[in-house]
Amino acid sequence: MSSISLRAINKSYDGTTPVLHDVSMDIEDGEFIVIVGPSGCGKSTLLRLIAGLEQCQDGEILIAGERANEQLPQHRDIAMIFQNYALYPHLTVRENIAFGLELRKVPKKERNARALEVARTLQLERYLDRKPGALSGGQRQRVAMGRAIARNTSTFLMDEPLSNLDNALRVAMRTEIKALHRQLGATIIYVTHDQTEALSLADRIAVMKDGYLQQFDTPEAIYDQP
Ligand code: ADP
Ligand code: ADP
């Protein structure tokens, strides 16, 4: 089980200016949640709190029913995928995909087998020996996803993962991410400022504004109102 609950989260970076106000949400195991809202409304901050990369002043984060506020990022069953991909330029695709496993001391043979398996899922087998500099934007994004998938985590956090891609590729990658979600049965929490993206991906959409969670409901309930 990997349900995630946020209970009355308040967050400020400087101790005076609030960036998140009393945010509460319950995310079910296997849901595709999209957090949508204008730049600066607190989407990335919320994601980084769930990842354990930021701490909140008050409120509680529950992962699989257990308080996780003090749990280190590497001890959470969560993988984060960044907008800039955060790939290691001097490592091959295989090594980039296997990186998280190396940190966890998985033996090399096992790492390479897992990297191959993941590369097949993402149609990257032909590129395993290349470095990120020799890949297209879409391929780099797939490698970043591969690195997250390789670890077998049950929750993926994605912060504007498609915003550096051109429009056609963005639409294609959306379909891939949706298919991947079905295939992995994982929970995905996905941040975007793009409403079309939110509509096409989400089981439920969290609408944020100025640090407040304004709505949290299905796309139909949010956008089909008379
Ligand atoms: P979004 O992802 O919706 O663009 P962010 O969560 O990045 O929003 O930012 C929310 C607010 O917090 C903004 O006002 C931003 O300037 C501020 N902020 C974000 N990160 C930091 C930081 N590391 N230090 C100080 N302020 C920050
Ligand atoms: P820097 O180049 O700033 O020292 P790193 O190269 O250590 O930073 O990391 C670059 C980015 O990759 C960071 O955003 C970091 O959080 C992320 N990162 C580091 N290790 C991993 C990993 N095993 N899996 C996913 N992301 C990682």
Side-chain angles (χ1 to χ4, degrees):
M1 194 183 76
S2 69
S3 65
I4 293 171
S5 295
L6 306 179
R7 301 273 161 80
I9 300 287
N10 285 284
K11 165 72 179 170
S12 162
Y13 286 100
D14 61 8
T16 54
T17 328
V19 168
L20 294 174
H21 301 264
D22 209 24
V23 172
S24 295
M25 58 202 293
D26 288 309
I27 296 168
E28 305 291 331
D29 197 11
E31 269 195 301
F32 200 132
I33 301 296
V34 177
I35 304 176
V36 71
S39 179
C41 71
K43 304 184 294 298
S44 295
T45 301
L46 194 59
L47 217 55
R48 292 204 303 268
L49 276 166
I50 296 170
L53 301 171
E54 293 286 349
Q55 301 297 315
C56 53
Q57 273 73 21
D58 48 54
E60 200 170 39
I61 299 171
L62 302 171
I63 301 177
E66 308 245 358
R67 180 181 163 96
N69 293 49
E70 292 80 20
Q71 196 178 43
L72 293 171
Q74 58 268 36
H75 296 154
R76 298 182 188 200
D77 181 22
I78 287 177
M80 184 137 167
I81 296 164
F82 299 90
Q83 176 176 5
N84 59 7
Y85 317 136
L87 299 178
Y88 295 102
H90 57 291
L91 299 182
T92 63
V93 166
R94 178 184 286 102
E95 290 162 340
N96 266 288
I97 291 177
F99 191 83
L101 303 177
E102 192 171 350
L103 286 183
R104 282 165 186 74
K105 312 250 185 290
V106 175
K108 185 162 186 187
K109 210 173 151 191
E110 225 174 288
R111 289 202 308 263
N112 286 343
R114 179 68 182 145
L116 177 61
E117 188 183 16
V118 169
R120 283 206 180 108
T121 309
L122 294 164
Q123 284 150 28
L124 285 170
E125 309 110 282
R126 289 194 294 141
Y127 308 106
L128 278 167
D129 293 313
R130 285 204 198 171
K131 294 196 174 153
L135 299 175
S136 70
Q139 289 163 346
R140 274 181 221 159
Q141 184 51 265
R142 283 206 283 273
V143 177
M145 283 195 245
R147 186 170 57 187
I149 293 167
R151 287 173 41 199
N152 255 325
T153 50
S154 61
T155 302
F156 297 91
L157 309 180
M158 304 189 182
D159 194 353
E160 303 259 7
L162 307 184
S163 60
N164 287 335
L165 304 179
D166 66 43
N167 196 45
L169 196 53
R170 197 153 58 231
V171 172
M173 287 297 290
R174 246 187 240 155
T175 311
E176 281 191 31
I177 289 176
K178 195 73 185 161
L180 203 60
H181 174 242
R182 259 182 242 116
Q183 193 182 338
L184 299 173
T187 307
I188 296 184
I189 308 175
Y190 185 107
V191 160
T192 181
H193 61 272
D194 181 342
Q195 285 197 2
T196 315
E197 209 157 281
L199 272 173
S200 72
L201 288 171
D203 293 325
R204 284 196 292 164
I205 297 178
V207 182
M208 291 193 60
K209 196 181 173 203
D210 300 334
Y212 290 91
L213 178 61
Q214 288 199 315
Q215 279 182 294
F216 187 36
D217 214 329
T218 61
E220 297 74 24
I222 288 177
Y223 292 112
D224 291 354
Q225 283 160 2

